[in-house]
Amino acid sequence: MQTINKHIKENEFKPVYLIYGTEDYLKKQYKGKLKAAVLGDSDDMNYSYFEGKDADPVKITDAINTLPFFNDKRVVIVENSGLFKSANTLADHLKEMPDSTVLVFVEKEIDKRNKLYKAVKDLGYISEMNGVDESSLKKWVAGKLKVENKKITGSTLDHFLAKTGGDMELINAELEKLVCYAMDKEIITTEDVDQVVVTQVSSQIFLMIDAIASKKQQTALQLYYDLIALKERPTSILYLITRHFNILLQVKDLYRLHESNATIAKRVGIPPFAVNKYVAQGRNFKRSILLEAVATATDIEEQIKTGRLNENMGVEMLIVKYSSTN
């Protein structure tokens, strides 16, 4: 991101960019930044956009070879095309692209062995955007609030992020609600957060696992019943509990091998800022217990699918088993 910001500041652009990763908010921001920096805000005459199934390599090739009209530059954006996971001829045409074109790919997943990926790497710049660390995320939230002439304490910010998780698109939406709710108040309080910020299911699962680890059986069950009241299916909750135990197991193993937080986040598929929280929570479980919990949860899921066990009872059994003081 710093490199792209440098290109924008210096008004010196690579012919082709690939922005990919799991953080949709950052990808959206930098896609917009590049377009605005190259063309300005309103030059649609020299702008082409392709998405999904409409991202035909032939049409994209025609667009990137079209010279700009009353401008020095032309921008072509290709989003969620899948072209970096399939065979296509687009890579061969990038070298012949006129200097006036800036091509921007925005993808969720890529294959680094792909011919197009290698061509972009040779000719342009690639940025992987998978979220930010906890410190950067907190600075970003505080900065967004500062623009609205509002402040938030460290403990309230922790409470806010515990409810939202690390998805920046979601955080941005919840911040907008929070600012509107607070109105003329300068300081955002925990009570404000509780009034308007929706607790995400993943955050609820985290709290449930915390309660299980602390042997607070009634608390864990109540969190489960709260999710049921919100119309979450027991099988969906079971999947998330199983996934959470599996993440704890992977984080525990990688941390034991002294891997960095960035490496752990990338390999396990969690936000960088959440790694320390998973490490801390994982300390409450022996590795053997986590292995057993994943196996037990998988067995319960199989029993539910084959009709041998009621889905609600199955989830309750899992929670009771691992939150028991015995």
Side-chain angles (χ1 to χ4, degrees), residues 171-183 196-198:
I171 291 172
N172 190 56
E174 294 294 338
L175 279 174
E176 290 179 4
K177 288 164 52 181
L178 197 53
V179 167
C180 290
Y181 177 79
M183 297 181 68
V196 297
V197 177
V198 177

Side-chain angles (χ1 to χ4, degrees), residues 7-285:
H7 293 174
I8 292 171
K9 183 178 180 180
E10 296 176 354
N11 200 34
E12 293 287 339
F13 302 99
K14 296 289 185 179
V16 57
Y17 291 85
L18 167 60
I19 299 171
Y20 77 97
T22 58
E23 186 48 74
D24 292 335
Y25 180 86
L26 290 176
K27 291 189 295 182
K28 180 180 177 181
Q29 291 295 305
Y30 279 85
K31 173 185 70 175
K33 280 187 176 185
L34 282 168
K35 178 178 180 285
V38 177
L39 290 182
D41 294 327
S42 59
D43 189 359
D44 292 332
M45 188 178 297
N46 294 300
Y47 171 61
S48 296
Y49 178 77
F50 301 90
E51 182 179 15
K53 294 180 181 179
D54 294 329
D56 177 18
V58 175
K59 293 179 181 179
I60 294 170
T61 299
D62 289 341
I64 64 177
N65 287 326
T66 300
L67 295 175
F69 190 68
F70 291 121
N71 202 324
D72 294 331
K73 292 289 185 180
R74 175 175 179 77
V75 172
V76 178
I77 292 179
V78 182
E79 192 160 6
N80 298 324
S81 67
L83 293 172
F84 289 85
K85 297 184 72 177
S86 62
N88 58 80
T89 59
L90 192 55
D92 299 327
H93 298 284
L94 295 188
K95 296 176 183 178
E96 303 166 2
M97 194 169 67
D99 295 338
S100 53
T101 295
V102 175
L103 173 60
V104 181
F105 290 102
V106 184
E107 303 286 337
K108 197 168 190 73
E109 296 179 346
I110 53 93
D111 183 346
K112 293 183 179 180
R113 299 168 298 179
N114 184 274
K115 185 178 179 181
L116 182 56
Y117 177 88
K118 294 176 180 177
V120 174
K121 186 176 181 181
D122 289 341
L123 298 169
Y125 187 75
I126 297 173
S127 178
E128 182 178 6
M129 299 185 179
N130 287 323
V132 297
D133 59 39
E134 185 171 10
S135 176
S136 299
L137 189 63
K138 287 182 175 180
K139 287 178 182 177
W140 175 70
V141 172
K144 298 278 287 185
L145 290 174
K146 185 178 181 180
V147 171
E148 302 293 339
N149 297 314
K150 299 197 182 300
K151 299 177 182 178
I152 190 168
T153 65
S155 59
T156 303
L157 180 51
D158 286 339
H159 182 62
F160 172 75
L161 292 176
K163 289 174 76 70
T164 62
D167 187 310
M168 295 178 74
E169 194 83 61
L170 174 65
I171 291 172
N172 190 56
E174 294 294 338
L175 279 174
E176 290 179 4
K177 288 164 52 181
L178 197 53
V179 167
C180 290
Y181 177 79
M183 297 181 68
D184 297 331
K185 290 174 61 177
E186 181 185 4
I187 307 295
I188 300 291
T189 66
T190 301
E191 289 73 24
D192 295 330
V193 173
D194 286 335
Q195 284 295 319
V196 297
V197 177
V198 177
T199 302
Q200 297 304 298
V201 175
S202 58
S203 298
Q204 195 89 335
I205 296 295
F206 202 100
L207 293 174
M208 188 188 299
I209 302 297
D210 262 346
I212 290 172
S214 302
K215 306 301 182 184
K216 296 178 180 178
Q217 191 172 101
Q218 290 305 312
T219 301
L221 286 169
Q222 187 57 57
L223 288 165
Y224 169 63
Y225 298 142
D226 288 347
L227 289 173
I228 294 297
L230 293 171
K231 307 301 183 184
E232 291 293 333
R233 288 182 56 83
T235 49
S236 298
I237 298 170
L238 176 60
Y239 165 77
L240 290 171
I241 293 174
T242 308
R243 178 178 177 272
H244 194 97
F245 276 132
N246 195 32
I247 288 174
L248 287 177
L249 181 61
Q250 293 180 67
V251 169
K252 198 175 190 70
D253 285 344
L254 291 168
Y255 185 77
R256 182 171 52 83
L257 294 172
H258 305 293
E259 296 286 0
S260 68
N261 281 15
T263 299
I264 293 173
K266 184 175 181 180
R267 291 183 63 177
V268 179
I270 57 177
F273 92 93
V275 172
N276 287 337
K277 294 180 179 179
Y278 278 96
V279 169
Q281 192 178 68
R283 291 194 182 104
N284 295 318
F285 295 95

